[in-house]
Amino acid sequence: MDDANRDFCAIVVTLVVWIASSSADHEYMVKTPENVILPVDYETQLTCQMNIEPDKFLWKFYPFSNQDVFNSKAVLDLNKATFILISPDQVEDKKSILKVKVQDTQKSVAGDYQCLAYYGASVIASVPSRITIATLENFTKVEQRKVDVVPGNTILWKCELPYSNPDPYVDYFKDDQYLEPTELSSKIKSIIMENVTFSNSGIYRCGASLPTIPRSMSKESLNLRISNYVSGQEPYFLIRPPNNYTVIKGSSVFLECAAIGNPVPRVIWFKHKGQLPQQRSELVTGGLKINNVSQADEGVYVCNHTNKYGTISHRITLIYSEEPTVECFLNTTEVKQNDKLDLECNVKGIPEPEVAWFLNGYSVKNDSAIEAIGNKIYVNPVEKRHAGNLQCFATNAVKTVYCGISIKVIPISTSGDLPTSYTNHRHGGKKPPRKPSKPLKPPKMVPPNKPTVTRLNNQAVVVRWSVSTNTGLPIMFFKVQYRELGPFQHNDHHRSKGSRWRTCNEDIAPHIRSYDVNNLKPDHVYRFRIAAVYSNNDNKLSNNSEKFYLRKMEFDEDNKPSVPLITHTEPINTTAVKIYWKCSPSPNKTIDGYYISFISASRAGDYTRVSVDGDRTNSFILSYLQPDTIYDIKLQSFNSKAASDYSQTMKAKTLEHDIIKLQTYPIVPSTEGPSVLGPTVASSEAEPGTGNLYVVIAVGVIGGGLILVGIGILIGCRKWQQMKNSESDRHKPTVEEQHHIQADGNEYVVSPRTLTRTNGCVLPTNRITITPNPLADTENKSQNIIELACLTSQNNNTSAAEGEDVADSSCNSTERKNYKNKNRKQKLKEYSSSGENCV
C-alpha cells in the first residue's frame, strides 16, 4: 500500500507541475475590475490581476459627460471614445490597484476604466469597469387618490418613483405604519393585496432610499376604502401596467396586470401567436410569473379581465436579451511579414453586440493597414508592429466580453541579416584582419508529422497528417507512400516482411493535409508515410504511421456515424468560403471529425478532400480557391471505424475581384507601330538600291548557314557509322548498361523504333525511361544512381533490424564507395521496383 500511495502521489505532483507549466505559456487575466456606483466622498479600489507578472501596468480612463455621470447604463463606443492613461497607485507582483475617490466638487472620476498589462510589446486589456455617482432625486408627483372597492378584489399599487442610481429601496406605509414587504413586492417595488377585506382600508404612501442617502417620503397617496355598497363597475386598472419588460436569459420575470371591478373580475392570460411557456409560467396574484426565460418566450402577452359589465385587456411585450459571447477560431497564429492576414470571430448576443478590435491594448481604427468590419478583421500587409495580442470586444446592453488571439509575425530577411563582406584595399593603410566566415547553413527542411489513418470503406482509407511550423524551405507538394505488411493474423509478429513501399501518383497541394488511398486489400495490415518535396527539389519523409488493420466489415450501413447537414455557406473573400453544418451523433456511434469534399461546379473529376477534427466543430473556412467560382461541397462525418454517407451537396461561390481596382489603370492603345523581331522587310518608301542590297546580303547569309548545316550533318553521319561498326565487335554489354534502371509496369519506355530519322540517320538507340516517381532526379542520372542506391542500402539495413523501411535523405561519400563494391546490381533492382504507383 505504501508503494501504491507513493506512486499515486508522484502522479498527482507530476500533473500539478504539468498544469502549472502549461498554464504559464499564455498570459491571461485572473481578476478583472468590477462596476461600482460610488457615493460622494467615498473611495473605492479597482483591481486587476494576471496569472504571470507583467513588465508593467497602466490604466485607460474613458471619462463620461456631465449628463452620464449618474447613468450606469451609458453607452460607450470603444472604437471612438477618447481616453486618458493613468499609472496605478499600487502594484503587487501580478496585481494592479487603482484608487478612485468621489469628491463633492469633483465628479469627473465617472467613466470606464480599463486595465492594461504589458509583456514587452504585447498588451492585454481588461473588460472596462464602470464608475458612476450614486444619486436619488426628490419625488415630484403630488396626488391623493380615493378608491372604493368591494371585498375580494386584488389591489396592486405603486407610487411614481424619482430617478435614482442605483435603483432605490422602496418601503410602503399604511396610516404612517410600516408594512413588512413580501419577496415579490420588494422585487417589483409595488404593494399587492389579494382578496381585500374591510381591514385593508386606509391611506397608503411610499418612501425611497439608498444605503448612503436617507429615505425620502412621497407626497403621493392612495385612500383605499373597502365597502359592500359599491355600484356595479366594469373592470378597470388602478394603475396602468407596464407596456414592456426586458429580461435577461435564464432570469425570472413578473408581468404585472391587476384590475378591479364589481363584481370581482376574472383574469385570463394568453400569448399572442404562441403558447404560454409550459411548466415555467404560473398565474399569481396580480400578474403572470415566468421562470428561466428563454428566447422562445419573447413576444406579446395579453391579460383579459372580465365581469358581467365588460372586459379590459392589456398587451405586454416581453423583450429577450442575452449577454454577448465571442469565440475566435484561432488562439494563436503565425504569419509572415508582408503577407495578408484575415481573421474572424463568432460574435453572438441579443441585442446584437457592437464589436471593437484592440491590438496590444489600443483600437485598430487608426491603423491604415488594418480594416475591421464587424466580427472580421483584415491586415494587409502584415508588419512587425502587428505582432502581439489581438482582442475582439463585444458589447451590448447586458455586458462586455472579449476573446484574444496571439499573433506572431515572422520577419523577412534583410541585408542586415547577411554576413558582412570585407573589401581589401591595396592602396594605403593596412589590410583589415580577415575573420574566418562561418559557412551558411543550408535551409532547413521541416518534415511532415507522423500520419494518422482512418477507415473509409473495405478497400480505402484516409491518410491525414500535419506539418509543424515551417520556417525553412517551402513545400511544393506532398506524396503519399504505403506498404502492405500482409494479411492480418493473431501472431502478426511472425509475419513476413511484406511488400515494398508504393508511391501514389498524384501531387498533393501544399495546403492539403489528407488523401484517399484506394484499391487496398481488406483484412490486411498497412503502414503509411508522407514525403514532402521542397523548393530545392529535395524531399524528406515523415515517420511511418502505426500499423493499420483495414478490417472488413459486412455491416457497414449499421456502423456508419450520422450524416451531417450543411445549413448554409457564405463567401469570405476571393479565395475562401465558409461552410456551416450541424450533426446529431447517434447513440453508441461517436464522431471524431468531418471530411469536406469540394470541386469546381464547372469541372468533372475527383473531389478534393480536407479533414476537420472534433465532434463539436460546426464550421470551417475553405481556402486556396479560385475567384468568382462556384463550388460543389459535401460532407461526411467519420470515426475510427467508418465514414458516414455524404450529406446533400451545397453550392458556394467565392467573391470576384474588385472590378474598379482592375480598371484603375486602363490599357491605352499605342499610336506607334508594332516592333518586329527578325529580318526586316524594306518598305516601299525606301530607295531601290538600298532594298536590293539588303536582299543580296540576306540571301548570302542564309546560303552560308545551309552549307554549314550540311557539313555538320555529313560529319555526324560518319561518326555514327563508325560507332555502328565498333558495336559489331562487342559481345557483352558494358558495366553501365548492365546497371541501367529498367522500366517497371508503371514506367513509360520510348523504344528506338519510334524515334524519328534525321537526314537518313537514325538517332542513337539510347533507352529513355520516364518514371512517375517524383522523388527521382532526372537532371543527373549518374549521381542519382549512387544516391538512390545508398538510400536503398540504408533502407534495407534498417528493415532487417526493425521490420520496416525507413528512408534517409542523405548518404555520405564513404557509403557511396562501399556501395559500388557491394551488391550494386541487386540493390538497384530492388530500388527500381520500389516506385510502384497506386492502382
Side-chain angles (χ1 to χ4, degrees):
M1 291 296 293
D2 293 339
D3 293 339
N5 292 333
R6 191 180 301 109
D7 294 340
F8 177 76
C9 292
I11 294 172
V12 171
V13 171
T14 303
L15 287 174
V16 171
V17 172
W18 177 80
I19 293 172
S21 62
S22 62
S23 63
D25 292 340
H26 300 282
E27 303 87 8
Y28 59 89
M29 281 208 176
V30 176
K31 183 177 182 181
T32 57
E34 298 179 352
N35 295 338
V36 180
I37 299 176
L38 204 61
V40 176
D41 293 332
Y42 276 74
E43 183 180 282
T44 188
Q45 290 184 351
L46 300 179
T47 303
C48 72
Q49 183 176 351
M50 303 296 299
N51 67 322
I52 300 176
E53 182 178 358
D55 299 332
K56 68 174 181 178
F57 282 103
L58 282 178
W59 289 79
K60 290 170 69 177
F61 170 50
Y62 302 88
F64 277 179
S65 59
N66 291 333
Q67 60 266 28
D68 286 334
V69 295
F70 303 110
N71 184 9
S72 58
K73 297 180 180 179
V75 177
L76 175 71
D77 188 351
L78 289 174
N79 287 311
K80 300 178 181 179
T82 58
F83 60 86
I84 303 170
L85 288 176
I86 303 174
S87 297
D89 294 291
Q90 184 177 349
V91 176
E92 301 175 359
D93 296 332
K94 307 172 185 178
K95 184 186 298 184
S96 175
I97 299 174
L98 182 67
K99 297 179 181 179
V100 181
K101 183 177 181 181
V102 178
Q103 298 178 356
D104 191 21
T105 57
Q106 183 183 3
K107 298 180 181 179
S108 59
V109 297
D112 281 8
Y113 293 79
Q114 198 170 25
C115 179
L116 304 180
Y118 285 74
Y119 295 88
S122 179
V123 183
I124 297 179
S126 71
V127 170
S129 82
R130 177 161 295 181
I131 290 182
T132 52
I133 313 302
T135 185
L136 176 62
E137 297 181 359
N138 295 322
F139 286 93
T140 58
K141 188 174 182 179
V142 178
E143 181 183 17
Q144 293 182 354
R145 185 173 182 182
K146 295 181 180 180
V147 178
D148 295 331
V149 298
V150 296
N153 274 283
T154 295
I155 301 298
L156 189 152
W157 181 76
K158 66 171 63 176
C159 57
E160 186 174 310
L161 298 175
Y163 180 80
S164 175
N165 183 39
D167 291 339
Y169 297 106
V170 180
D171 299 316
Y172 283 90
F173 300 83
K174 176 189 174 185
D175 298 331
D176 295 330
Q177 297 295 318
Y178 177 74
L179 295 176
E180 191 71 28
T182 63
E183 180 180 355
L184 179 60
S185 63
S186 296
K187 185 176 181 180
I188 65 175
K189 305 184 186 310
S190 303
I191 183 172
I192 299 178
M193 293 176 284
E194 180 185 9
N195 195 16
V196 294
T197 62
F198 297 106
S199 61
N200 294 114
S201 297
I203 299 176
Y204 293 83
R205 298 178 64 192
C206 74
S209 64
L210 291 176
T212 57
I213 299 177
R215 179 187 296 125
S216 173
M217 294 300 297
S218 170
K219 298 179 181 179
E220 180 184 6
S221 63
L222 171 66
N223 188 355
L224 179 63
R225 294 183 299 181
I226 311 300
S227 173
N228 288 324
Y229 304 104
V230 178
S231 59
Q233 293 177 327
E234 63 179 356
Y236 69 97
F237 295 121
L238 188 59
I239 58 169
R240 187 168 183 83
N243 293 324
N244 54 70
Y245 291 82
T246 301
V247 189
I248 300 175
K249 174 185 177 181
S251 60
S252 300
V253 63
F254 179 75
L255 308 181
E256 303 174 23
C257 187
I260 55 179
N262 184 23
V264 176
R266 182 170 54 91
V267 62
I268 296 176
W269 282 86
F270 64 91
K271 184 179 181 182
H272 183 62
K273 295 183 180 180
Q275 294 182 347
L276 296 178
Q278 300 297 319
Q279 300 179 349
R280 292 185 294 107
S281 61
E282 55 180 322
L283 184 62
V284 297
T285 301
L288 179 70
K289 185 178 182 182
I290 303 175
N291 300 312
N292 191 20
V293 173
S294 65
Q295 189 172 5
D297 300 333
E298 189 173 51
V300 177
Y301 293 79
V302 181
C303 64
N304 280 342
H305 292 268
T306 304
N307 65 13
K308 66 179 183 179
Y309 292 104
T311 299
I312 188 173
S313 297
H314 184 69
R315 298 165 66 92
I316 300 174
T317 302
L318 180 62
I319 303 171
Y320 173 84
S321 63
E322 185 175 337
E323 68 180 40
T325 59
V326 182
E327 180 183 4
C328 296
F329 302 104
L330 296 173
N331 292 327
T332 181
T333 184
E334 292 186 0
V335 61
K336 293 182 180 179
Q337 184 181 353
N338 291 340
D339 281 0
K340 297 180 181 179
L341 178 62
D342 297 348
L343 294 173
E344 178 182 1
C345 293
N346 189 16
V347 179
K348 298 180 180 179
I350 300 175
E352 183 178 356
E354 294 290 334
V355 178
W357 289 89
F358 274 35
L359 178 61
N360 293 326
Y362 298 88
S363 174
V364 301
K365 66 171 184 174
N366 294 324
D367 194 322
S368 59
I370 297 179
E371 182 181 11
I373 304 175
N375 63 327
K376 301 177 183 179
I377 187 169
Y378 309 96
V379 187
N380 183 24
V382 174
E383 301 177 14
K384 292 180 181 179
R385 60 188 173 86
H386 295 139
N389 188 50
L390 181 68
Q391 293 174 278
C392 178
F393 286 86
T395 304
N396 66 7
V398 183
K399 197 175 181 180
T400 298
V401 297
Y402 75 84
C403 183
I405 304 173
S406 177
I407 299 178
K408 298 179 181 179
V409 178
I410 303 172
I412 58 176
S413 60
T414 60
S415 58
D417 300 329
L418 301 176
T420 305
S421 60
Y422 295 95
T423 305
N424 295 332
H425 299 278
R426 298 182 178 273
H427 303 286
K430 294 184 178 180
K431 185 189 273 188
R434 233 177 177 182
K435 295 183 181 179
S437 60
K438 296 182 180 179
L440 294 176
K441 294 183 178 180
K444 183 172 61 173
M445 293 185 296
V446 180
N449 296 325
K450 182 169 71 173
T452 58
V453 186
T454 54
R455 180 184 181 277
L456 191 58
N457 53 50
N458 284 343
Q459 295 181 330
V461 298
V462 177
V463 183
R464 297 179 293 141
W465 65 93
S466 62
V467 180
S468 303
T469 303
N470 187 3
T471 57
L473 285 173
I475 296 174
M476 304 303 292
F477 57 88
F478 295 101
K479 285 285 187 180
V480 174
Q481 296 181 330
Y482 70 95
R483 177 171 169 245
E484 178 189 330
L485 300 181
F488 178 78
Q489 300 174 3
H490 291 293
N491 54 346
D492 56 351
H493 56 281
H494 296 301
R495 257 201 321 267
S496 60
K497 179 181 176 182
S499 66
R500 292 176 292 273
W501 286 97
R502 298 185 179 185
T503 303
C504 296
N505 281 337
E506 185 175 354
D507 293 347
I508 305 168
H511 65 276
I512 300 296
R513 296 291 189 272
S514 62
Y515 186 77
D516 298 359
V517 181
N518 300 306
N519 299 320
L520 302 178
K521 299 176 182 178
D523 286 330
H524 278 60
V525 180
Y526 292 88
R527 279 191 190 273
F528 299 84
R529 67 186 182 191
I530 309 300
V533 180
Y534 301 87
S535 57
N536 62 348
N537 292 326
D538 201 353
N539 67 88
K540 207 160 190 179
L541 294 170
S542 69
N543 292 330
N544 296 341
S545 70
E546 302 294 337
K547 295 178 182 178
F548 182 80
Y549 169 39
L550 183 55
R551 184 189 300 272
K552 182 177 182 180
M553 295 185 180
E554 301 295 340
F555 304 100
D556 278 348
E557 296 298 329
D558 296 335
N559 292 312
K560 290 181 179 179
S562 302
V563 179
L565 174 66
I566 303 178
T567 56
H568 63 285
T569 62
E570 65 175 353
I572 300 298
N573 50 43
T574 57
T575 60
V577 296
K578 188 173 183 181
I579 303 100
Y580 297 86
W581 68 87
K582 61 182 180 180
C583 185
S584 301
S586 303
N588 302 323
K589 295 178 184 177
T590 60
I591 294 177
D592 296 336
Y594 299 90
Y595 295 138
I596 302 177
S597 302
F598 62 97
I599 190 174
S600 173
S602 61
R603 295 183 180 178
D606 296 331
Y607 279 76
T608 302
R609 187 194 303 272
V610 296
S611 60
V612 184
D613 292 327
D615 60 329
R616 296 186 179 180
T617 307
N618 57 11
S619 63
F620 184 76
I621 297 178
L622 276 179
S623 304
Y624 302 95
L625 305 178
Q626 295 297 320
D628 194 20
T629 304
I630 300 175
Y631 286 85
D632 289 335
I633 300 171
K634 54 186 180 180
L635 261 70
Q636 289 175 285
S637 63
F638 71 88
N639 55 29
S640 59
K641 296 180 180 180
S644 73
D645 293 330
Y646 283 105
S647 69
Q648 87 282 19
T649 301
M650 181 74 77
K651 301 285 186 182
K653 184 180 180 182
T654 54
L655 297 177
E656 60 182 332
H657 283 301
D658 193 344
I659 299 177
I660 297 177
K661 292 183 179 179
L662 294 177
Q663 294 177 348
T664 302
Y665 302 98
I667 301 175
V668 181
S670 175
T671 58
E672 299 178 359
S675 59
V676 180
L677 300 179
T680 304
V681 180
S683 64
S684 59
E685 297 179 359
E687 296 181 2
T690 306
N692 295 333
L693 178 62
Y694 288 156
V695 171
V696 171
I697 294 174
V699 170
V701 171
I702 295 174
L706 291 175
I707 293 172
L708 292 176
V709 171
I711 294 172
I713 292 173
L714 291 174
I715 295 174
C717 289
R718 181 169 295 181
K719 291 284 186 181
W720 174 79
Q721 187 66 30
Q722 292 175 358
M723 293 173 59
K724 185 175 181 181
N725 294 335
S726 63
E727 286 179 358
S728 61
D729 298 331
R730 300 175 186 173
H731 301 285
K732 295 181 180 181
T734 63
V735 175
E736 182 178 357
E737 290 173 344
Q738 290 177 1
H739 294 286
H740 182 76
I741 300 178
Q742 300 296 328
D744 59 14
N746 293 318
E747 296 171 341
Y748 304 92
V749 180
V750 182
S751 172
R753 297 179 181 177
T754 63
L755 299 178
T756 59
R757 295 173 178 266
T758 303
N759 197 23
C761 300
V762 180
L763 296 177
T765 58
N766 292 336
R767 187 176 180 87
I768 302 175
T769 303
I770 304 174
T771 174
N773 187 352
L775 308 182
D777 187 357
T778 59
E779 295 179 357
N780 192 338
K781 290 185 177 180
S782 60
Q783 182 70 14
N784 249 7
I785 289 175
I786 296 175
E787 292 179 354
L788 295 177
C790 294
L791 178 61
T792 308
S793 174
Q794 293 175 0
N795 286 344
N796 291 338
N797 293 337
T798 307
S799 299
E802 298 181 62
E804 61 181 72
D805 291 335
V806 180
D808 191 356
S809 61
S810 62
C811 182
N812 57 37
S813 59
T814 303
E815 291 172 336
R816 294 175 183 171
K817 293 177 181 179
N818 293 338
Y819 178 79
K820 290 179 180 179
N821 301 324
K822 293 181 181 180
N823 301 327
R824 184 177 184 184
K825 180 177 180 180
Q826 179 181 356
K827 303 294 185 181
L828 287 173
K829 286 183 177 181
E830 292 179 1
Y831 188 84
S832 65
S833 59
S834 67
E836 297 180 10
N837 298 316
C838 297
V839 179

